[in-house]
């Protein structure tokens, strides 16, 4: 266990495209316009569908949405000022207040714009503007522009999903006979399968399919050397210590919250991990946190969550369908609960959550362990700031800690803390793109209780 870092660190600047040639710069210059163009193409390709379903109104909506998104793409590419939202939604005011906050931070001499403002803010803003373009054009407001990519990732990963459900079934069949050590071994495998499931993210690939082709369990040992921080033993001891003898003599297990990332294969790895945690008695309840609208190309919405369970139930594979039926049962019984608080689709750094979303912070405080999946969550946990690699995770969290938490993340952005002295430099000399290639990963834990 790393001693908590008590030094007060100067908070470094936010990553931004101001640094020409940086990953933020290349993302905003190249990848975001590509994603916007694919969104425009997707809407255009569904024009007939909109006509069949909504007649002339559907055609008008398609045209209007495309013109709003083309205008957005032009503003992005020519570094125009970021504009307030006008769609009068539950979160519109919060987004516009955040814009004013950013304007105050930058001062009047510089407008809030794509290449001058924090990468985290403008990237999140783009996805909320895509949502605005649809919300301003009913009847296509609930069209999921990313649905095709998310379902394709699921269908292209069938062999890996079959292998994972078969492995899960094999463990569950003998669960009673497993020793504590064997339980720990299997826990590690499911935790790492969920970790590496994060490689299948469609935003980094700007929508290019990148499904899981190989067996997720067999490849784990070959991936171990690429795990730069491995706190899985701390995650395990947090789960074990949360087990308290209940009134009925049964140990009352923990509540584990999983802040989800991508749909498709990654979501299946999260559901399999959650099934193992409940079936092994390590957890009594799992709370899943998804997004309230389509986000970062492949992130999970309520529709994706329900669709994935239904698809797995209906699979023509014994152990997949058995798993899907069990998952449906967990949801029906309230053992698994799904939430989608608006905060997860806002631009805030997580150190702002207690102030800006106190209800969400309070609900996370009910967890014995909170798992944060993926790269964007890690960027928000650390504020997407240009920290030195040896700054502790605790310091970068800047007081965020509703519960013992663990980031399960493949590196796809150039922010990484909690490394050993010299570890970052060695990685840079061996593999210059180590922070953004998705080849490396972390299992990084922090608990205020261990202070
Ligand atoms: O959160 P995820 O799905 O693991 O990754 C999100 C992501 O693809 O989007 C951003 C780049 O556009 C980066 O944070 C990261 O590469
Ligand atoms: Mn994602």
């Amino acid at each position: 266990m790393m001693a908590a870092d008590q030094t007060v660190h100067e908070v470094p600047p936010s990553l931004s495209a101001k640094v020409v040639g940086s990953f933020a710069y290349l993302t905003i210059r190249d990848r975001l316009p590509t994603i916007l163009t694919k969104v425009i193409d997707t809407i255009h390709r569904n024009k007939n569908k909109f006509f069949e379903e909504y007649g002339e109104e559907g055609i008008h909506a398609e045209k209007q949405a495309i013109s709003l998104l083309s205008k957005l793409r032009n503003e992005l590419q020519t570094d125009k000022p970021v504009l307030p939202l006008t769609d009068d939604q539950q979160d519109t005011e919060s987004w516009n207040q955040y814009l004013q906050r950013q304007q105050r931070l930058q001062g009047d001499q510089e407008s809030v714009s794509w290449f001058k403002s924090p990468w985290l803010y403008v990237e999140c803003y783009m996805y909320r503007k895509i949502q605005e373009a649809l919300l301003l054009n009913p009847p296509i407001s609930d069209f999921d522009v990313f649905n095709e990519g998310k379902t394709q990732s699921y269908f292209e990963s069938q062999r890996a999903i079959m292998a994972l459900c078969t492995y899960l079934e094999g463990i569950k069949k003998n669960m009673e006979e497993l020793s504590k050590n064997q339980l720990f071994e299997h826990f590690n495998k499911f935790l790492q399968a969920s970790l590496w499931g994060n490689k299948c993210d469609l935003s980094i690939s700007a929508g290019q399919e990148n499904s899981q082709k190989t067996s997720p369990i067999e490849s784990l040992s070959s991936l171990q050397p690429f795990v730069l921080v491995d706190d899985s033993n701390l995650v395990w001891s947090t789960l074990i210590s949360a087990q308290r003898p209940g009134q009925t003599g049964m140990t009352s297990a923990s509540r584990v919250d999983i802040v989800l990332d991508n749909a498709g294969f990654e979501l299946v790895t999260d559901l399999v991990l959650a099934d193992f945690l409940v079936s092994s008695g390590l957890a009594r309840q799992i709370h899943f946190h998804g997004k309230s609208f389509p986000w970062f190309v492949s992130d999970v919405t309520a529709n994706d969550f329900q669709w994935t369970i239904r698809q797995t139930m209906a699979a023509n594979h014994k152990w997949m369908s058995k798993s899907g039926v069990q998952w449906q049962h967990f949801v029906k019984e309230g053992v698994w609960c799904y939430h989608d608080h608006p905060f997860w689709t806002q631009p805030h750094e997580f150190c702002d959550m207690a102030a800006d979303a106190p209800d969400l912070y309070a609900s996370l405080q009910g967890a014995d362990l909170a798992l944060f999946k993926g790269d964007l969550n890690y960027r928000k946990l650390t504020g997407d700031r240009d920290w030195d690699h040896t700054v502790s995770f605790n310091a970068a969290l800047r007081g965020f800690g509703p519960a013992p938490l663990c980031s399960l993340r493949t590196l796809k952005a150039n922010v990484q803390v909690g490394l050993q002295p010299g570890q970052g430099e060695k990685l840079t000399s061996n593999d210059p793109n180590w922070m953004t290639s998705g080849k490396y990963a972390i299992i990084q834990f922090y608990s205020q209780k261990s202070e």
Side-chain angles (χ1 to χ4, degrees), residues 198 200-203 260-263 266 291 295-300 373-377 412:
N198 180 244
C200 305
D201 133 50
L202 293 168
S203 160
L260 297 170
D261 188 356
N262 301 308
E266 179 172 1
K291 305 304 193 299
W295 184 256
F296 275 67
V297 186
S298 37
D299 282 25
V300 175
K373 293 299 307 297
D375 192 74
L376 176 63
N377 277 322
K412 292 173 273 186

Side-chain angles (χ1 to χ4, degrees), residues 247-419:
Q247 286 77 8
T248 58
M250 290 285 290
T251 51
S252 83
S254 53
R255 178 187 126 183
V256 177
D257 283 39
I258 305 180
V259 182
L260 297 170
D261 188 356
N262 301 308
F265 179 69
E266 179 172 1
L267 176 57
V268 174
T269 66
D270 299 333
L271 297 175
V272 165
L273 171 62
D275 187 336
F276 171 75
L277 289 173
V278 171
S279 305
S280 63
L282 285 164
R284 71 172 189 286
Q285 200 175 46
I286 310 283
H287 287 246
F288 296 95
H289 300 271
K291 305 304 193 299
S292 52
F293 57 83
W295 184 256
F296 275 67
V297 186
S298 37
D299 282 25
V300 175
T301 62
N303 186 51
D304 298 322
F305 188 82
Q306 290 140 20
W307 181 87
T308 302
I309 293 180
R310 275 200 314 272
Q311 278 300 125
T312 309
M313 276 173 81
N316 185 17
H317 180 272
K318 188 175 182 186
W319 305 129
M320 269 181 73
S321 56
K322 187 173 182 206
S323 299
V325 169
Q326 174 64 74
W327 300 345
Q328 185 83 310
H329 199 57
F330 282 148
V331 171
K332 277 208 166 59
E333 277 185 328
V335 175
W336 284 6
C337 315
Y338 180 87
H339 313 274
D340 53 8
H341 191 284
F343 186 79
W344 304 116
T345 46
Q346 289 181 352
H348 300 74
E349 302 167 45
F350 285 167
C351 59
D352 295 334
M353 187 191 287
D356 290 291
D359 56 332
L360 177 59
Y361 198 87
S363 71
L364 286 175
Q365 285 177 307
D368 294 293
L369 171 69
L371 300 177
F372 286 84
K373 293 299 307 297
D375 192 74
L376 176 63
N377 277 322
Y378 192 78
R379 291 173 57 198
K380 290 186 168 185
L381 283 165
T382 59
D384 213 34
R385 292 174 179 271
D386 192 13
W387 300 99
D388 286 345
H389 297 313
T390 52
V391 164
S392 71
F393 191 29
N394 156 30
L397 287 167
R398 285 180 290 153
F400 179 72
L405 62 90
C406 181
S407 166
L408 299 174
R409 171 228 186 177
T410 57
L411 278 67
K412 292 173 273 186
N414 52 324
V415 50
Q416 181 58 54
V417 295
L419 298 188

Side-chain angles (χ1 to χ4, degrees), residues 200-244:
C200 305
D201 133 50
L202 293 168
S203 160
I204 187 75
S205 62
Q208 290 300 320
E209 78 87 25
N210 61 349
S211 50
Q212 176 70 24
K213 296 283 193 295
T214 56
S215 157
I217 295 293
E218 278 147 39
S219 49
L220 291 180
S221 45
S222 62
L223 291 168
Q224 192 55 41
F226 297 97
V227 180
L228 302 179
V229 175
D230 185 352
D231 292 337
S232 36
N233 57 325
L234 297 176
V235 181
W236 173 257
S237 48
T238 300
L239 280 171
I240 295 294
S241 59
Q243 298 208 322
R244 290 173 289 279

